[in-house]
Amino acid sequence: MISSFDNKGFASDDFFRLEQERIFSKYWIFVCFKFMVDQPNRFATRDIAGVPVLVQNIGGEIQAFRNVCAHRQRKLQDEDFGTRKMTCKYHGWHYGADGKLLAVPYNDEYYHLSQEDICKIKLESFRVEIVGEFVFVNLDKDPIAIDKQFSQEMTDLLKDLSGHFNREMLISKFSFNANWKLVNEVLRDNTHIPFLHTRSLFSQLDHKVDPPPEDHGQRSSRIPDVQEISGGGLTHIFNDDKHPVYADKVNRWGDVDGYFEWRFFPNLHVVCPRGGYGFSIEYHHPIAPDKTQATVYMMTAATKANIPASFLWGQMKGARVVLDEDYGALEAVQAVVGQAPGHSVLGGGEHEMSALRNLIASLVRGVR
Amino acid sequence: MSGTKLIVIGVAPHAAEVAAIARETTPERVIELVDLIETAPFEFDLTCLDALDPASCEVFLALDARAVNFSRTYLLSEIKGRGLKMARLVSSRASVPQDLKLGENSVIYPGVVVMTDVTIGYNAVVRTGCLLEIGCKIGNSAYLESGAVIGPYTVIGDNTTVGNRVAVGANIKVGKQCELLTAMTYVNNIPDKTFYVDGYDGPTRIVRF
Ligand code: FES
Ligand SMILES: [Fe+2]
């Protein structure tokens, strides 16, 4: 009933700092898709727990580094993604495989670093795991195995979906003033749909609310395994037989005309918005206790024919209507959530949400 | 050309605006407005075309910005496929030079000022108060909202929309299928399929990897 989770966890700087340290610096975090970095010199960047991370293809190998030059600490790559060697734009120091410093312009004339010194200089590197097209990075020097974070079922799913992705992708970013965990929770919440999405989603769905399992009390109060907290699946069936305008131009994933979504702990959300014709991958980047930035990647299923860009962009704008309905509510929660009452009242159907809160609290306390 | 009838086919309110521009510019001409029925998103009932005689009329297809990137191009090819001639419309209240190159089915609204050496492709819309500086090129099916300013020698790609009171600097290349809707001055080249819209952190892009 009364959640044991202290709502200060949605608003406090200390709690946020501990999450960054004990969750985002310890678990596998999604950075980019493999096809974004599958050619030499292609790269993608992402800030993880305050660390600027660079995933770079060097001679065909995908490696991850701290995106900071060893010389005088300029960022090595500026863009979110692109194609460029690992050469610093400030004084031209050049790095290669394993982040080794390869070239120092004016070394003989000016820096006078010994060959021995140069050989010792390396970018800080991080571990990379690739599941299907999903590239994950872990900041921990001795990271947990990725199959401890995601079950076999979930990694198989990522691989299966990956096989259907088209290589033309929309990338959109936007921010809102709410804690990243509130986003996680709204994704686990079915009962808000008639209220927040009255005119959008709700009107298109056969909206059903399922009863909780009998052991919901026990499920709500335990601390789950990290692995169990990622999941999802078919969430809604549509009450019309509308398909995206490009439906006959793609090889769809599956054959069910529904809304599918899966959550991957801690902050990745994978959606098939309408029957496997297209995908939306949403990454929720915690910027501050009260600020989150979403990056949305959208692609159709692999295409049989050319699809005008306006379709993907139209789909993004449509999704944004629904997301803004959610974020509007989350911002209204965020405005007061750190104050009294300090705890939420959660029902039996909200057992997954309770379990997630328990898990996060335990990770932050360091008991796990 | 004013001997032939002008048939404006489209969806309100844009079609009504285009018909109004045609009426005040060529008051002696017979102008008919035909409603295009959208049966499903991006699908239109084209039976209205069957009654038109290519020998006695010109057609102008008038759809709004929402359909700019796709439906207009498709419908245009449907109309031309029936041997119908497409019109070009320049409001008598626009200021355009003799040397303007204007593609078919393009319309220039009142209050537009066009400098010399400007090219505008086919199926483009240049709405009220736009300023097109010397030597600029506006692509096919481009849509310039009211008050857009296109700098000297700047190129706007096909199917690109430039928003209200947006300025694009000089010598800029804006790609195809872009939307520049955030009201500001754009001073860098912009790749294809880039969308600047308020409420996003930076542009949204569509990239083929
Ligand atoms: S800071 Fe990178 S080369 Fe100087
Ligand atoms: Fe929602």
Side-chain angles (χ1 to χ4, degrees), chain A residues 186 192 197 326:
Chain A
V186 83
H192 77 276
H197 307 308
D326 287 319

Side-chain angles (χ1 to χ4, degrees), chain A residues 69 71-74 88 90-93:
Chain A
C69 179
H71 178 218
R72 272 157 54 198
Q73 289 67 54
R74 192 204 189 283
C88 183
Y90 200 174
H91 313 95
W93 289 28

Side-chain angles (χ1 to χ4, degrees), chain A residues 71-333:
Chain A
H71 178 218
R72 272 157 54 198
Q73 289 67 54
R74 192 204 189 283
K75 257 176 125 172
L76 278 171
Q77 303 289 20
D78 293 327
E79 313 292 331
D80 289 349
F81 59 90
T83 306
R84 196 179 158 270
K85 290 189 166 143
M86 272 204 299
T87 302
C88 183
K89 291 179 180 174
Y90 200 174
H91 313 95
W93 289 28
H94 174 62
Y95 301 85
D98 305 317
K100 285 197 184 112
L101 181 60
L102 295 184
V104 178
Y106 298 108
N107 189 45
D108 295 346
E109 302 87 331
Y110 182 69
Y111 296 109
H112 290 214
L113 300 172
S114 70
Q115 204 46 48
E116 201 188 339
D117 282 340
I118 289 179
C119 283
K120 273 191 278 195
I121 295 169
K122 256 173 121 184
L123 301 173
E124 183 183 349
S125 62
F126 303 116
R127 294 274 299 279
V128 178
E129 283 280 2
I130 301 175
V131 182
E133 287 290 339
F134 292 76
V135 177
F136 293 89
V137 168
N138 196 315
L139 297 186
D140 198 2
K141 290 296 152 213
D142 182 23
I144 68 158
I146 195 160
D147 57 9
K148 289 269 178 323
Q149 183 170 337
F150 305 125
S151 67
Q152 175 89 39
E153 193 193 334
M154 295 308 278
T155 50
D156 285 350
L157 175 80
L158 289 183
K159 288 179 197 163
D160 181 19
L161 293 170
S162 292
H164 289 80
F165 290 166
N166 196 27
R167 295 302 169 86
E168 180 158 61
M169 180 168 71
L170 173 146
I171 307 174
S172 217
K173 294 205 282 191
F174 45 92
S175 309
F176 48 96
N177 298 318
N179 188 269
W180 68 279
K181 297 188 293 300
L182 293 176
V183 188
N184 241 313
E185 294 193 348
V186 83
L187 299 173
R188 275 158 220 268
D189 174 354
N190 194 2
T191 49
H192 77 276
I193 291 175
F195 302 99
L196 292 191
H197 307 308
T198 322
R199 273 187 294 277
S200 57
L201 210 49
F202 183 58
S203 61
Q204 303 156 20
L205 300 171
D206 276 337
H207 185 253
K208 277 202 292 282
V209 176
D210 297 324
E214 285 197 357
D215 59 345
H216 63 78
Q218 190 249 330
R219 284 172 184 257
S220 299
S221 55
R222 81 214 161 93
I223 299 172
D225 243 25
V226 169
Q227 230 190 36
E228 293 167 56
I229 220 69
S230 298
L234 177 62
T235 314
H236 302 287
I237 298 282
F238 290 100
N239 60 15
D240 55 41
D241 59 356
K242 271 191 233 150
H243 294 130
V245 269
Y246 54 76
D248 58 341
K249 295 193 172 72
V250 304
N251 294 310
R252 75 189 286 194
W253 172 84
D255 55 9
V256 179
D257 288 332
Y259 175 93
F260 294 82
E261 60 93 22
W262 302 270
R263 286 105 25 187
F264 292 81
F265 181 81
N267 61 341
L268 180 66
H269 187 218
V270 178
V271 186
C272 271
R274 249 205 196 243
Y277 295 104
F279 308 94
S280 173
I281 289 95
E282 298 167 19
Y283 176 84
H284 299 117
H285 172 51
I287 293 175
D290 58 355
K291 194 167 173 125
T292 303
Q293 184 183 56
T295 305
V296 177
Y297 306 85
M298 268 188 187
M299 62 283 251
T300 64
T303 50
K304 298 182 274 191
N306 227 13
I307 295 179
S310 53
F311 285 177
L312 268 185
W313 178 225
Q315 197 167 299
M316 179 65 228
K317 286 188 280 193
R320 189 68 199 275
V321 171
V322 178
L323 293 173
D324 282 350
E325 288 165 349
D326 287 319
Y327 299 156
L330 302 188
E331 290 186 345
V333 172

Side-chain angles (χ1 to χ4, degrees), chain B residues 13-84:
Chain B
H14 183 55
E17 289 170 356
V18 168
I21 290 169
R23 284 197 186 103
E24 76 170 13
T25 301
T26 49
E28 68 289 356
R29 195 175 190 186
V30 179
I31 293 159
E32 278 173 28
L33 186 53
V34 176
D35 259 345
L36 192 60
I37 314 291
E38 196 171 6
T39 50
F42 304 108
E43 278 171 35
F44 296 91
D45 178 4
L46 298 180
T47 45
C48 62
L49 297 179
D50 297 339
L52 301 179
D53 170 18
S56 66
C57 68
E58 270 191 327
V59 173
F60 193 95
L61 175 69
L63 292 179
D64 66 359
R66 186 180 58 87
V68 74
N69 283 351
F70 182 64
S71 300
R72 296 168 89 229
T73 336
Y74 156 73
L75 288 169
L76 205 60
S77 66
E78 283 288 319
I79 293 170
K80 293 186 79 170
R82 290 164 202 242
L84 292 159

